[in-house]
Amino acid sequence: MRVLGIETSCDETGIAVYEDGRGLLAQAVYSQVEIHAEYGGVVPELASRDHIRKTLPLIHQVLDESGLNRAHIDGVAYTAGPGLIGALLVGSALGRALAWAWKVPAIGVHHMEGHLLAPLLEEPAPEFPFVALLVSGGHTQLVDVLGIGRYRILGESLDDAAGEAFDKTAKILGLPYPGGPELARLAEHGDPERFRFPRPMTDRPGLEFSFSGLKTFTLNTLHRELPQAADPEQTRADIARAFEEAVVDTLVIKCRRALRETGRKRLILAGGVSANRRLRERMNQAIAAEGGQSYYPRPALCTDNGAMIAFAGCQRLLAGQTEPLAFKPRARWPMEELAPI
């Protein structure tokens, strides 16, 4: 089965074709960073309008690159939520319309299930069961995964997601949008010994996260240290490094705790923040110390992309699941509501 995947949940238009048995045939992603940089964050209406402009040209591009045409497509998968409702409507309406016109089945895919399954596109792919850390701009979740659609949320952020905290802290430090990668680059030049920030909610049992206080701690440190700093730029780098270390340590501690509580030996990391180099290094060491193995998608599949939607959609279409003409994108959509296959 060859499946066309359409991802339009936020500010990236992702298109891909995945074939069961052969893997990813072609993919393309268009980022709206330049559009939203002027505003320091995603403007939902602008995101929706740009998806309208870019989605069809990207579909033609991906089909050309894969050497296919519409007659070769056996199904269409589109992101149905969670995300910005206007952006979701663009991809959902187009995906469902194409499936109807091409007389093939369609399936609405959960955005976070797409991220969760993205490591299965790599070799070697992790086997079920495993624990997944989904860490992005909108979500920070630990999930016990028994199979596709068989998910149990172990813990999640009570306020800001890790990626959101990265972006907001970058803005505090005066870094350009998108802030998360910029903060990580600045942190590379920071002194890890100068500041030590708290590791939130690691001194109590449980697998929940909270990063809003860490953001406030960073702001207070900046206001205290910067006016008297002999080298303001180095101070900002040192603060960025302390913030990154605190987030990474918190994620590592909680992941080790999750593996111990579930008895699992495999951990996957997915979502935009999983591309962070320091997080990968520290997590590999920590999980190896637990006698386990960690898995990640390639960096291009960490951020929003059509490949993960095409893959997740293909698994559900192969299981006989389809969507009716009356598609229903959802801005909020708990993963526990997904049907198992």
Side-chain angles (χ1 to χ4, degrees), residues 112-175:
M112 296 311 294
E113 180 174 65
H115 277 303
L116 187 153
L117 298 179
L120 275 66
L121 284 162
E122 309 292 7
E123 293 291 342
E127 296 180 0
F128 299 110
F130 52 73
V131 169
L133 173 65
L134 303 179
V135 56
S136 66
H139 298 81
T140 300
Q141 294 179 321
L142 278 166
V143 186
D144 189 25
V145 181
L146 298 178
I148 297 176
R150 301 171 65 194
Y151 309 130
R152 179 170 64 97
I153 304 298
L154 301 171
E156 56 192 338
S157 181
L158 303 177
D159 40 58
D160 290 355
E164 182 181 4
F166 262 97
D167 289 339
K168 289 180 176 178
T169 301
K171 198 167 186 177
I172 290 170
L173 292 170
L175 299 175

Side-chain angles (χ1 to χ4, degrees), residues 15-30:
I15 306 296
V17 175
Y18 175 85
E19 182 176 347
D20 181 49
R22 289 183 60 194
L24 186 61
L25 303 184
Q27 70 158 334
V29 176
Y30 175 80

Side-chain angles (χ1 to χ4, degrees), residues 7 14-15 27 29 115 121 300-309:
E7 155 60 23
I15 306 296
Q27 70 158 334
V29 176
H115 277 303
L121 284 162
L301 298 185
C302 290
T303 53
D304 295 349
N305 63 86
M308 67 184 192
I309 302 304

Side-chain angles (χ1 to χ4, degrees), residues 4-6 8 13-17 26-30 48-66 68 90 94 98 102:
L4 175 71
I6 302 172
T8 63
T13 310
I15 306 296
V17 175
Q27 70 158 334
V29 176
Y30 175 80
S48 302
R49 292 182 182 187
D50 206 54
H51 285 310
I52 292 172
R53 286 190 289 265
K54 295 297 190 301
T55 309
L56 269 177
L58 281 180
I59 290 174
H60 291 305
Q61 175 186 328
V62 167
L63 288 176
D64 287 343
E65 290 177 358
S66 61
L68 304 175
V90 175
L94 178 60
L98 288 176
W102 296 348

Side-chain angles (χ1 to χ4, degrees), residues 35-292:
I35 294 173
H36 302 291
E38 177 182 351
Y39 306 95
V42 177
V43 181
E45 178 62 22
L46 296 181
S48 302
R49 292 182 182 187
D50 206 54
H51 285 310
I52 292 172
R53 286 190 289 265
K54 295 297 190 301
T55 309
L56 269 177
L58 281 180
I59 290 174
H60 291 305
Q61 175 186 328
V62 167
L63 288 176
D64 287 343
E65 290 177 358
S66 61
L68 304 175
N69 59 50
R70 65 185 189 181
H72 297 116
I73 300 300
D74 302 307
V76 177
Y78 55 86
T79 303
L84 302 176
I85 191 62
L88 291 168
L89 278 166
V90 175
S92 297
L94 178 60
R96 198 61 194 83
L98 288 176
W100 178 81
W102 296 348
K103 296 180 173 56
V104 297
I107 187 74
V109 173
H110 193 290
H111 179 74
M112 296 311 294
E113 180 174 65
H115 277 303
L116 187 153
L117 298 179
L120 275 66
L121 284 162
E122 309 292 7
E123 293 291 342
E127 296 180 0
F128 299 110
F130 52 73
V131 169
L133 173 65
L134 303 179
V135 56
S136 66
H139 298 81
T140 300
Q141 294 179 321
L142 278 166
V143 186
D144 189 25
V145 181
L146 298 178
I148 297 176
R150 301 171 65 194
Y151 309 130
R152 179 170 64 97
I153 304 298
L154 301 171
E156 56 192 338
S157 181
L158 303 177
D159 40 58
D160 290 355
E164 182 181 4
F166 262 97
D167 289 339
K168 289 180 176 178
T169 301
K171 198 167 186 177
I172 290 170
L173 292 170
L175 299 175
Y177 174 86
E182 294 292 335
L183 188 149
R185 279 190 281 271
L186 180 61
E188 292 180 359
H189 305 288
D191 179 359
E193 304 299 327
R194 183 174 177 186
F195 301 111
R196 179 173 174 80
F197 286 10
R199 276 57 174 164
M201 298 188 72
T202 58
D203 59 348
R204 65 189 76 176
L207 296 170
E208 307 293 343
F209 300 91
S210 173
F211 294 106
S212 63
L214 187 58
K215 177 187 61 184
T216 304
F217 192 93
T218 304
L219 177 63
N220 293 337
T221 303
L222 185 70
H223 286 170
R224 183 184 70 244
E225 298 290 335
L226 205 58
Q228 59 189 10
D231 186 346
E233 188 58 30
Q234 184 59 50
T235 296
R236 289 169 67 245
D238 296 342
I239 291 173
R241 180 64 178 269
F243 172 83
E244 183 182 56
E245 291 286 340
V247 173
V248 167
D249 273 357
T250 300
L251 295 173
V252 168
I253 290 168
K254 296 286 182 155
C255 285
R256 294 184 73 168
R257 189 177 294 176
L259 290 180
R260 291 170 183 172
E261 291 187 7
T262 60
R264 309 289 183 222
K265 290 300 182 181
R266 289 179 288 274
L267 175 81
I268 72 156
L269 270 72
V273 181
S274 69
N276 182 281
R277 182 180 60 82
R278 191 168 302 280
L279 175 61
R280 291 192 177 209
E281 291 174 353
R282 296 284 296 281
M283 195 68 77
N284 284 340
Q285 296 169 359
I287 302 309
E290 296 289 327

